[in-house]
């Protein structure tokens, strides 16, 4: 539903577009039973969602809901307008490792050599071709947007259009993050402001998100601590710093809920790759402050063209890698978090786990579930294959009917 060979702004205005889905349409499904799953008290037909990246606005969220995605996350918002990195943002990624060159995540290949030894590696990026849209199950892509955002009044107004349009058994999460600097920078959200100012901005973003979510009849929030486009290390890598940020957010949210008489809001923290000890430390230091952890966001890599030059629109050497190439990394982190949850004797109701990264089919979905994820989300895997939600529902044994979306999409797909 996203045209990788167009700018973020063009996709925001024109999308989602059914002709970029593998089926050529934006599918519509209807679940036939009462919800049998739940996450943080929210009933879900299927414990399957999409993370914030592909869902640019309420139209994208609605397309995901219609397709059977039960826990979509509205793209991360800020307390101020923030421009996207220049085009191109999304490139098809191929490994430079001899064992996987040209076929990252392809049939019979191993994705391990990309990131098995260190997080930062070098990969090759190229524009997506028509064949990539037709076979998204094999894709790995770059993700270099810089977390763009509209002004708060604009994104809140857009989110409000979801009121009354979120079916039973589904729920929309609103993602937000604090901003370190006063103005957008080409290389990302650089650390030009003080940490105290950053704490305040996180708390303010959380409160703005809370009001928007409540106004649209939704209640789950997610804070992005893992922006890979920041100058300096993402917040989640420093557990002490992450706890301070999360405590500032929780204090702000609890104050508003107490004033309004609202129930305590459930908060998800989105993180990236951590080792065993850091996974344990993160859960230990944030329990009681957050209600769930979502892992992973992306994996950083140096992205080059065939000539070895920089190919991302922001002209930066590294960007986030998503899709099949990061499945093993994501699965390992969820396994570590699940083990840490058991070690701390935390119940899923106290600390939920969301598994993200490289989910291209029901097979990866089930692997994450077996690893301990309460909910599994797919970005790249569902971005051009909204039918993935149906595949997951079948794997879960959840009955549904598919409505014929061809007529509804006929005009749009002819564009």
């Amino acid at each position: 539903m996203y045209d990788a060979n167009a700018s973020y702004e063009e996709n925001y205005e024109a999308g989602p577009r059914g002709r970029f889905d593998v089926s050529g349409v934006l599918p519509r499904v209807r679940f036939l039973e009462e919800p049998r799953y739940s996450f943080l008290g929210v009933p879900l037909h299927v414990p399957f969602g999409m993370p914030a990246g592909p869902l640019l606005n309420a139209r994208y969220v609605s397309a995901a809901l219609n397709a059977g995605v039960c826990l979509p996350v509205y793209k991360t918002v800020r307390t101020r307008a923030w421009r996207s990195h220049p085009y191109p943002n999304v490139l098809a990624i191929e490994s430079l490792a001899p064992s996987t060159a040209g076929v990252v995540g392809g049939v019979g290949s191993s994705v391990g050599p990309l990131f098995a030894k260190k997080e930062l590696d070098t990969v090759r990026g190229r524009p997506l071709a028509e064949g990539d849209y037709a076979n998204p199950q094999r894709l790995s892509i770059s993700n270099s947007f810089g977390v763009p955002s509209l002004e708060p009044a604009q994104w809140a107004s857009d989110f409000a259009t979801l009121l009354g349009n979120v079916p039973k058994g589904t729920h929309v999460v609103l993602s937000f993050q604090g901003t370190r600097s006063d103005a957008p920078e080409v290389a990302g959200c650089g650390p030009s402001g003080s940490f105290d100012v950053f704490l305040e901005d996180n708390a303010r973003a959380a409160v703005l998100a809370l009001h928007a979510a409540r106004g649209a009849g939704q209640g789950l929030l997610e804070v992005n601590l893992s922006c890979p486009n920041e100058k300096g290390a993402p917040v989640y890598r420093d557990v002490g710093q992450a706890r301070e940020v999360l405590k500032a957010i929780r204090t702000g949210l609890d104050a508003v809920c107490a004033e309004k008489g609202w129930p305590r809001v459930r908060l998800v923290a989105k993180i990236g790759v951590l080792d065993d000890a850091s996974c344990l430390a993160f859960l230990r230091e944030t329990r009681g402050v957050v209600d769930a952890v979502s892992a992973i966001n992306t994996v950083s890599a140096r992205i080059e063209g065939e000539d070895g030059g920089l190919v991302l629109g922001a002209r930066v050497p590294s960007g986030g890698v998503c899709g099949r190439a990061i499945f093993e990394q994501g699965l390992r982190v969820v396994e570590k978090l699940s083990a840490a949850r058991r070690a701390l004797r935390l119940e899923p109701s106290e600390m939920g786990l969301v598994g993200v990264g490289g989910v291209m089919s029901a097979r990866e979905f089930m692997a994450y579930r077996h690893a301990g994820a309460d909910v599994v989300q797919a970005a790249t895997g569902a971005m051009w294959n909204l039918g993935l939600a149906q595949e997951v529902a079948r794997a879960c044994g959840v009955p549904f009917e598919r409505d014929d979306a061809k007529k509804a999409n006929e005009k749009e797909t002819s564009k």
Side-chain angles (χ1 to χ4, degrees), residues 79-222:
T79 60
R80 68 202 73 180
W82 201 264
R83 67 174 179 265
S84 170
H85 285 179
Y87 168 87
N89 312 99
V90 176
L91 299 169
I93 294 299
E94 299 172 345
S95 174
L96 300 185
S99 62
T100 58
V103 287
V104 168
V107 176
S109 70
S110 168
V111 300
L114 262 179
F115 305 109
K117 295 182 180 178
K118 55 184 179 179
E119 184 175 353
L120 184 63
D121 208 337
T122 301
V123 295
R124 177 169 293 140
R126 61 164 175 79
L128 266 71
E130 287 297 323
D132 295 317
Y133 295 119
N135 298 284
Q137 296 86 355
R138 300 179 61 179
L139 265 180
S140 296
I141 64 168
S142 66
N143 169 11
S144 179
F145 292 96
V147 196
S149 175
L150 299 178
E151 292 281 358
Q154 294 175 301
W155 57 253
S157 176
D158 182 64
F159 195 83
T161 63
L162 293 169
L163 181 63
N165 295 312
V166 180
K168 182 179 180 181
T170 67
H171 193 90
V172 180
V173 182
L174 179 52
S175 174
F176 69 91
Q177 75 172 58
T179 303
R180 291 185 184 273
S181 58
D182 295 329
E185 304 174 39
V186 170
C189 24
S192 61
S194 72
F195 188 62
D196 286 343
V197 172
F198 182 54
L199 290 178
E200 292 172 4
D201 195 68
N202 270 279
R204 195 156 64 92
V207 169
L208 289 170
L210 173 60
H211 282 286
R214 293 287 301 186
Q218 307 303 293
L220 298 185
L221 300 180
E222 178 182 276

Side-chain angles (χ1 to χ4, degrees), residues 206-329:
V207 169
L208 289 170
L210 173 60
H211 282 286
R214 293 287 301 186
Q218 307 303 293
L220 298 185
L221 300 180
E222 178 182 276
V223 56
N224 178 21
L225 301 180
S226 54
C227 172
N229 302 124
E230 290 196 12
K231 290 180 179 176
V235 176
Y236 78 91
R237 291 185 185 170
D238 184 325
V239 175
Q241 192 176 82
R243 178 173 170 78
E244 286 191 62
V245 171
L246 293 169
K247 285 180 67 176
I249 290 170
R250 174 55 67 191
T251 298
L253 292 174
D254 287 351
V256 173
C257 289
E259 178 187 349
K260 298 289 187 180
W262 294 340
R264 182 180 185 272
V265 64
R266 297 299 190 101
L267 178 65
V268 181
K270 187 174 187 179
I271 66 172
V273 177
L274 290 174
D275 59 27
D276 297 62
S278 297
C279 284
L280 181 63
F282 193 93
L283 294 197
R284 184 179 60 242
E285 294 301 315
T286 61
R287 59 182 173 184
V289 181
V290 300
D291 302 283
V293 172
S294 175
I296 57 176
N297 186 342
T298 67
V299 176
S300 260
R302 179 180 175 86
I303 301 174
E304 299 178 350
E306 287 190 7
D307 61 357
L310 303 180
V311 288
L312 293 173
R315 308 307 297 170
V316 291
S318 64
V321 173
C322 305
R324 185 176 290 276
I326 70 169
F327 168 66
E328 290 183 6
Q329 284 282 57

Side-chain angles (χ1 to χ4, degrees), residues 321-366:
V321 173
C322 305
R324 185 176 290 276
I326 70 169
F327 168 66
E328 290 183 6
Q329 284 282 57
L331 188 66
R332 285 198 295 268
V333 173
V334 169
E335 288 172 343
K336 295 170 186 177
L337 289 168
S338 182
R341 182 168 67 175
R342 291 193 301 271
L344 294 169
R345 298 182 180 180
L346 292 169
E347 296 294 328
S349 58
E350 298 173 286
M351 183 66 74
L353 296 181
V354 180
V356 194
V359 178
M360 318 303 285
S361 70
R363 179 181 176 183
E364 291 84 16
F365 168 86
M366 295 304 298

